[in-house]
């Protein structure tokens, strides 16, 4: 059985703290980007053993799929929305 070891709790909490600090700094500068929301969603998802997509809005997922060149791993982040071509 090849189970991937779960990240330790301290590493997870550090990721959440760093994402939250980044987001708070961006808020102070009045900048909230999809990259910042995605970083925070990834950190929280890792702590909750869920997918990044679970913490983003449908609009966020559409934007990532259509406009942004973010690294996205469906195994970790979950599926992006399928965009129908006209």
């Amino acid at each position: 059985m090849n189970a991937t070891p779960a990240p330790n709790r301290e590493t997870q909490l550090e990721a959440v703290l760093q994402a939250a600090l980044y987001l708070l700094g961006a808020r102070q500068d009045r900048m909230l980007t999809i990259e910042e929301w995605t970083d925070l969603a990834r950190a929280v998802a890792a702590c909750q053993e869920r997918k990044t997509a679970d913490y983003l809005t449908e609009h966020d997922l559409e934007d990532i799929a259509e406009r942004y060149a973010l690294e996205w791993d469906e195994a970790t982040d979950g599926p992006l929305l399928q965009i129908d071509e006209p």
Side-chain angles (χ1 to χ4, degrees):
M1 184 191 305
N2 292 336
T4 303
N8 75 34
R9 197 70 165 159
E10 187 175 328
T11 301
Q12 291 175 332
L13 293 174
E14 183 63 30
V16 171
L17 175 60
Q18 289 304 314
L21 288 171
Y22 186 64
L23 186 61
L24 289 170
R27 177 69 177 135
Q28 288 173 332
D29 294 336
R30 299 196 183 277
M31 296 174 3
L32 296 175
T33 66
I34 191 65
E35 291 87 355
E36 293 158 343
W37 286 117
T38 302
D39 286 346
L40 183 59
R42 281 185 175 134
V44 172
C47 289
Q48 297 291 309
E49 298 180 6
R50 295 184 63 188
K51 304 288 184 188
T52 305
D54 294 340
Y55 295 99
L56 296 171
T57 67
E58 187 173 311
H59 178 74
D60 291 337
L61 296 172
E62 288 173 357
D63 280 351
I64 291 168
E66 291 177 353
R67 298 182 188 94
Y68 296 97
L70 292 179
E71 287 187 29
W72 192 266
D73 177 8
E74 287 199 3
T76 302
D77 296 319
L80 284 174
L81 298 178
Q82 297 298 319
I83 306 302
D84 294 328
E85 295 294 324

